[in-house]
Structures are given as structure tokens and as C-alpha cells.
Amino acid sequence: MTQDIEIFANYCVFMRSIYLHARELFETSSAEDKALMGATAGTFFGDLNRVLNEYVILQVCKITDPAHDNRNNDNHTIAFLLKHYDFSSDPPILKRLTELHASMQAFRQKILPARHKLISHLDRDAILAGGPLGAATDEEWSQFWLDLQDFICIVHRKVIGSSFYLNGVAVRSDAGDLLKALRRLIRYPT
């Protein structure tokens, strides 16, 4: 049964890494780097930005889905872990996990419209309205990652016996190396 925890933790590392790649390339990069990406392959980088953003939203919604789908299949989610692992022998831990779950569910509610109307489906009314769906601030995203890290760490420690720090494992993106390579490109006349 510890395999569930390891798989979930590693999946969250991958998900966090994708988030960090997107941030480094499209949110925290310099204006010069953004201009360089646009001049080098503007359509590609524009599409990549959209794909990474949609992917992260979709993944966050997936791990915060209910424990079971409509056909009663298990979903490998936070709710599944809470349901299938007994934390009742440690009421303070159970209380903290429940609080973290509630906080992540509140965040989910903010981004869920984007998943339902634009990522998982092409809702005509939402497309025609053209407004943003699922917007969350940098602070809300940061809090989500901290909550997820705390949740994984507590569950990992309780079930496996060791700590697992999501933000310590997925602390860096090498997307900056791509930007460095683009800056060093030798441009040949066409």
C-alpha cells in the first residue's frame, strides 16, 4: 500500500516541475528573453505557454478530484489517500490533513471553470464570451503548492516513515538553460 503514496508523490513532483518550467519561461523571464522567444519561434513558444498552463490546471484538478469517478473507479487523488489510509489514530494529524484538503479544494474551485469549460471541453458560451476562467493569483498558487507539500510530507512520514518535501525535490527548472542557449545562438544570414 505504500506504493500509492510513492506514486502520488512522484506524480506531484512531475506536475510541480511542469509548473516551474512554465513560470521560468513565461512569467519570471526578462522582457529580453520573452522577445527572444518571440523572435526565435513565436508561435511555438506561444503554444507551449498555453499547453503548459492548461496542463498544470488539468493536473491540479485531477489530483483534487473525488476518490471515485462516476463509474466507481478509483482516482489516485488526495481524497483517495484520505479515504484509504487510516489517520484516525492520530487526531491532530487527521485534523491537519483535513484542513489541507479543504484549502486545496477551495483552490480547485477557483480553477475548475477553466478545466470544465476550456480544457476538458470546448464550451461554446465560454469561448464566445472570451473572458478568463480559472484565474488564480501567484499567492494562491504558492499556497496550493505549500499545502500539497505539507499534505504529501505528512502522509509520507506517517505511512512510509520518512519525510518527502515536494518543493525541495522539484525546486528548479532547467528552462533557464533553454533561454541561455537561445541567447548564444549564432544567427546565419538567410
Side-chain angles (χ1 to χ4, degrees):
M1 287 295 285
T2 62
Q3 184 180 17
D4 281 327
I5 307 301
E6 293 290 351
I7 290 169
F8 185 81
N10 288 324
Y11 187 80
C12 290
V13 168
F14 174 71
M15 194 173 79
R16 171 88 171 142
S17 294
I18 299 301
Y19 172 79
L20 293 173
H21 297 326
R23 280 197 50 85
E24 188 163 349
L25 285 175
F26 304 110
E27 294 178 34
T28 62
S29 61
S30 68
E32 294 82 18
D33 284 339
K34 289 175 184 168
L36 180 60
M37 286 185 281
T40 304
T43 301
F44 169 76
F45 282 109
D47 291 349
L48 183 61
N49 185 20
R50 181 176 174 176
V51 167
L52 293 177
N53 284 324
E54 288 183 4
Y55 185 80
V56 170
I57 290 169
L58 179 61
Q59 298 315 307
V60 169
C61 288
K62 283 170 48 176
I63 68 163
T64 57
D65 271 345
H68 305 287
D69 68 14
N70 293 337
R71 293 177 301 271
N72 208 29
N73 295 311
D74 289 337
N75 287 327
H76 208 145
T77 64
I78 293 164
F80 173 87
L81 296 176
L82 284 173
K83 183 176 181 177
H84 291 281
Y85 290 88
D86 184 15
F87 300 102
S88 62
S89 64
D90 193 340
I93 292 292
L94 180 58
K95 180 179 185 286
R96 180 66 180 140
L97 290 173
T98 303
E99 292 167 353
L100 290 167
H101 184 233
S103 178
M104 289 184 281
Q105 285 297 311
F107 180 77
R108 169 192 169 86
Q109 292 308 311
K110 291 186 86 73
I111 64 173
L112 200 57
R115 177 206 196 177
H116 287 338
K117 298 205 175 269
L118 298 176
I119 298 171
S120 296
H121 307 280
L122 289 174
D123 183 274
R124 184 173 181 271
D125 290 337
I127 292 167
L128 292 175
L133 294 174
T137 66
D138 285 345
E139 293 78 23
E140 290 167 324
W141 274 103
S142 293
Q143 188 60 55
F144 169 78
W145 293 115
L146 290 172
D147 290 346
L148 182 59
Q149 173 177 262
D150 288 352
F151 181 88
I152 292 169
C153 188
I154 292 167
V155 170
H156 202 277
R157 189 177 326 116
K158 193 78 173 149
V159 174
I160 296 176
S162 62
S163 298
F164 188 98
Y165 295 99
L166 173 65
N167 297 332
V169 177
V171 293
R172 180 177 183 281
S173 167
D174 59 359
D177 294 337
L178 172 62
L179 295 175
K180 287 178 192 171
L182 287 176
R183 283 185 227 115
R184 287 191 307 259
L185 277 179
I186 299 172
R187 304 215 186 262
Y188 296 98
T190 55

mmCIF file of all heavy atoms in Angstrom, residues 19 23 27 107 110-111 134-145:
data_model
loop_
_atom_site.group_PDB
_atom_site.id
_atom_site.type_symbol
_atom_site.label_atom_id
_atom_site.label_comp_id
_atom_site.label_asym_id
_atom_site.label_seq_id
_atom_site.Cartn_x
_atom_site.Cartn_y
_atom_site.Cartn_z
ATOM 1 N N TYR A 19 4.969 23.108 -13.781
ATOM 2 C CA TYR A 19 4.593 24.441 -13.313
ATOM 3 C C TYR A 19 5.819 25.363 -13.279
ATOM 4 O O TYR A 19 5.759 26.510 -13.731
ATOM 5 C CB TYR A 19 3.957 24.332 -11.921
ATOM 6 C CG TYR A 19 3.703 25.650 -11.236
ATOM 7 C CD1 TYR A 19 2.600 26.430 -11.572
ATOM 8 C CD2 TYR A 19 4.569 26.123 -10.246
ATOM 9 C CE1 TYR A 19 2.367 27.638 -10.941
ATOM 10 C CE2 TYR A 19 4.341 27.328 -9.608
ATOM 11 C CZ TYR A 19 3.242 28.083 -9.962
ATOM 12 O OH TYR A 19 3.007 29.285 -9.338
ATOM 13 N N ARG A 23 6.576 28.824 -15.390
ATOM 14 C CA ARG A 23 6.879 30.091 -14.694
ATOM 15 C C ARG A 23 8.199 30.674 -15.165
ATOM 16 O O ARG A 23 8.297 31.868 -15.426
ATOM 17 C CB ARG A 23 6.907 29.888 -13.183
ATOM 18 C CG ARG A 23 5.530 29.861 -12.573
ATOM 19 C CD ARG A 23 5.509 30.070 -11.093
ATOM 20 N NE ARG A 23 6.237 31.197 -10.580
ATOM 21 C CZ ARG A 23 5.769 32.449 -10.492
ATOM 22 N NH1 ARG A 23 4.570 32.724 -10.930
ATOM 23 N NH2 ARG A 23 6.502 33.399 -9.966
ATOM 24 N N GLU A 27 6.701 33.618 -17.143
ATOM 25 C CA GLU A 27 6.273 34.575 -16.128
ATOM 26 C C GLU A 27 7.433 35.339 -15.502
ATOM 27 O O GLU A 27 7.321 36.529 -15.279
ATOM 28 C CB GLU A 27 5.442 33.868 -15.049
ATOM 29 C CG GLU A 27 4.124 33.337 -15.605
ATOM 30 C CD GLU A 27 3.312 32.587 -14.571
ATOM 31 O OE1 GLU A 27 3.355 32.973 -13.392
ATOM 32 O OE2 GLU A 27 2.636 31.625 -14.955
ATOM 33 N N PHE A 107 -8.987 26.033 -3.557
ATOM 34 C CA PHE A 107 -8.195 26.450 -4.719
ATOM 35 C C PHE A 107 -8.734 25.790 -5.986
ATOM 36 O O PHE A 107 -8.872 26.441 -7.027
ATOM 37 C CB PHE A 107 -6.717 26.094 -4.511
ATOM 38 C CG PHE A 107 -5.847 26.494 -5.661
ATOM 39 C CD1 PHE A 107 -5.479 27.815 -5.837
ATOM 40 C CD2 PHE A 107 -5.405 25.548 -6.575
ATOM 41 C CE1 PHE A 107 -4.693 28.196 -6.913
ATOM 42 C CE2 PHE A 107 -4.610 25.918 -7.646
ATOM 43 C CZ PHE A 107 -4.249 27.245 -7.815
ATOM 44 N N LYS A 110 -11.504 27.536 -7.689
ATOM 45 C CA LYS A 110 -11.125 28.716 -8.465
ATOM 46 C C LYS A 110 -10.723 28.359 -9.891
ATOM 47 O O LYS A 110 -11.010 29.096 -10.824
ATOM 48 C CB LYS A 110 -9.967 29.464 -7.792
ATOM 49 C CG LYS A 110 -10.344 30.142 -6.492
ATOM 50 C CD LYS A 110 -9.214 30.965 -5.966
ATOM 51 C CE LYS A 110 -9.174 32.292 -6.494
ATOM 52 N NZ LYS A 110 -9.920 33.386 -6.294
ATOM 53 N N ILE A 111 -10.021 27.236 -10.053
ATOM 54 C CA ILE A 111 -9.507 26.885 -11.379
ATOM 55 C C ILE A 111 -10.400 25.896 -12.134
ATOM 56 O O ILE A 111 -10.237 25.706 -13.336
ATOM 57 C CB ILE A 111 -8.059 26.348 -11.304
ATOM 58 C CG1 ILE A 111 -7.978 25.050 -10.515
ATOM 59 C CG2 ILE A 111 -7.133 27.417 -10.721
ATOM 60 C CD1 ILE A 111 -6.616 24.386 -10.543
ATOM 61 N N GLY A 134 -10.792 30.526 -14.406
ATOM 62 C CA GLY A 134 -9.841 29.814 -13.568
ATOM 63 C C GLY A 134 -8.655 30.629 -13.114
ATOM 64 O O GLY A 134 -7.623 30.073 -12.771
ATOM 65 N N ALA A 135 -8.794 31.943 -13.105
ATOM 66 C CA ALA A 135 -7.671 32.783 -12.692
ATOM 67 C C ALA A 135 -7.387 32.622 -11.203
ATOM 68 O O ALA A 135 -8.296 32.572 -10.388
ATOM 69 C CB ALA A 135 -7.972 34.245 -13.012
ATOM 70 N N ALA A 136 -6.111 32.514 -10.889
ATOM 71 C CA ALA A 136 -5.661 32.457 -9.502
ATOM 72 C C ALA A 136 -4.391 33.297 -9.405
ATOM 73 O O ALA A 136 -3.597 33.336 -10.341
ATOM 74 C CB ALA A 136 -5.387 31.017 -9.082
ATOM 75 N N THR A 137 -4.219 33.944 -8.292
ATOM 76 C CA THR A 137 -3.050 34.805 -8.097
ATOM 77 C C THR A 137 -1.799 33.961 -7.840
ATOM 78 O O THR A 137 -1.896 32.782 -7.498
ATOM 79 C CB THR A 137 -3.258 35.760 -6.903
ATOM 80 O OG1 THR A 137 -3.332 34.963 -5.705
ATOM 81 C CG2 THR A 137 -4.534 36.590 -7.060
ATOM 82 N N ASP A 138 -0.647 34.597 -7.966
ATOM 83 C CA ASP A 138 0.612 33.919 -7.641
ATOM 84 C C ASP A 138 0.601 33.442 -6.194
ATOM 85 O O ASP A 138 1.096 32.351 -5.893
ATOM 86 C CB ASP A 138 1.809 34.848 -7.860
ATOM 87 C CG ASP A 138 2.135 35.040 -9.330
ATOM 88 O OD1 ASP A 138 1.655 34.262 -10.173
ATOM 89 O OD2 ASP A 138 2.902 35.983 -9.636
ATOM 90 N N GLU A 139 0.040 34.246 -5.309
ATOM 91 C CA GLU A 139 -0.027 33.871 -3.894
ATOM 92 C C GLU A 139 -0.892 32.630 -3.698
ATOM 93 O O GLU A 139 -0.567 31.754 -2.888
ATOM 94 C CB GLU A 139 -0.558 35.029 -3.039
ATOM 95 C CG GLU A 139 0.361 36.236 -2.967
ATOM 96 C CD GLU A 139 0.323 37.125 -4.210
ATOM 97 O OE1 GLU A 139 -0.690 37.111 -4.961
ATOM 98 O OE2 GLU A 139 1.324 37.823 -4.455
ATOM 99 N N GLU A 140 -2.006 32.549 -4.419
ATOM 100 C CA GLU A 140 -2.876 31.376 -4.306
ATOM 101 C C GLU A 140 -2.188 30.131 -4.846
ATOM 102 O O GLU A 140 -2.301 29.050 -4.259
ATOM 103 C CB GLU A 140 -4.200 31.631 -5.027
ATOM 104 C CG GLU A 140 -5.063 32.665 -4.312
ATOM 105 C CD GLU A 140 -6.223 33.158 -5.145
ATOM 106 O OE1 GLU A 140 -6.087 33.302 -6.393
ATOM 107 O OE2 GLU A 140 -7.289 33.425 -4.551
ATOM 108 N N TRP A 141 -1.472 30.274 -5.956
ATOM 109 C CA TRP A 141 -0.709 29.139 -6.478
ATOM 110 C C TRP A 141 0.364 28.723 -5.478
ATOM 111 O O TRP A 141 0.540 27.529 -5.222
ATOM 112 C CB TRP A 141 -0.071 29.477 -7.831
ATOM 113 C CG TRP A 141 -0.996 29.239 -8.973
ATOM 114 C CD1 TRP A 141 -1.699 30.171 -9.678
ATOM 115 C CD2 TRP A 141 -1.339 27.976 -9.543
ATOM 116 N NE1 TRP A 141 -2.457 29.564 -10.645
ATOM 117 C CE2 TRP A 141 -2.250 28.211 -10.584
ATOM 118 C CE3 TRP A 141 -0.960 26.661 -9.276
ATOM 119 C CZ2 TRP A 141 -2.789 27.190 -11.365
ATOM 120 C CZ3 TRP A 141 -1.492 25.641 -10.050
ATOM 121 C CH2 TRP A 141 -2.402 25.904 -11.082
ATOM 122 N N SER A 142 1.068 29.681 -4.912
ATOM 123 C CA SER A 142 2.110 29.358 -3.925
ATOM 124 C C SER A 142 1.521 28.622 -2.733
ATOM 125 O O SER A 142 2.100 27.640 -2.242
ATOM 126 C CB SER A 142 2.819 30.630 -3.451
ATOM 127 O OG SER A 142 3.558 31.187 -4.498
ATOM 128 N N GLN A 143 0.366 29.090 -2.266
ATOM 129 C CA GLN A 143 -0.280 28.434 -1.131
ATOM 130 C C GLN A 143 -0.702 27.008 -1.484
ATOM 131 O O GLN A 143 -0.563 26.092 -0.679
ATOM 132 C CB GLN A 143 -1.482 29.240 -0.631
ATOM 133 C CG GLN A 143 -2.073 28.701 0.658
ATOM 134 C CD GLN A 143 -1.061 28.708 1.796
ATOM 135 O OE1 GLN A 143 -0.478 29.741 2.102
ATOM 136 N NE2 GLN A 143 -0.833 27.554 2.417
ATOM 137 N N PHE A 144 -1.207 26.821 -2.698
ATOM 138 C CA PHE A 144 -1.574 25.473 -3.124
ATOM 139 C C PHE A 144 -0.366 24.542 -3.052
ATOM 140 O O PHE A 144 -0.453 23.434 -2.515
ATOM 141 C CB PHE A 144 -2.156 25.455 -4.542
ATOM 142 C CG PHE A 144 -2.287 24.062 -5.076
ATOM 143 C CD1 PHE A 144 -3.332 23.250 -4.679
ATOM 144 C CD2 PHE A 144 -1.311 23.540 -5.921
ATOM 145 C CE1 PHE A 144 -3.423 21.934 -5.122
ATOM 146 C CE2 PHE A 144 -1.396 22.221 -6.366
ATOM 147 C CZ PHE A 144 -2.447 21.422 -5.967
ATOM 148 N N TRP A 145 0.768 24.978 -3.591
ATOM 149 C CA TRP A 145 1.965 24.126 -3.594
ATOM 150 C C TRP A 145 2.452 23.855 -2.171
ATOM 151 O O TRP A 145 2.901 22.747 -1.869
ATOM 152 C CB TRP A 145 3.077 24.726 -4.447
ATOM 153 C CG TRP A 145 2.729 24.753 -5.902
ATOM 154 C CD1 TRP A 145 2.546 25.869 -6.689
ATOM 155 C CD2 TRP A 145 2.496 23.630 -6.766
ATOM 156 N NE1 TRP A 145 2.209 25.490 -7.964
ATOM 157 C CE2 TRP A 145 2.170 24.127 -8.044
ATOM 158 C CE3 TRP A 145 2.526 22.253 -6.576
ATOM 159 C CZ2 TRP A 145 1.895 23.291 -9.127
ATOM 160 C CZ3 TRP A 145 2.249 21.418 -7.657
ATOM 161 C CH2 TRP A 145 1.934 21.945 -8.910
#
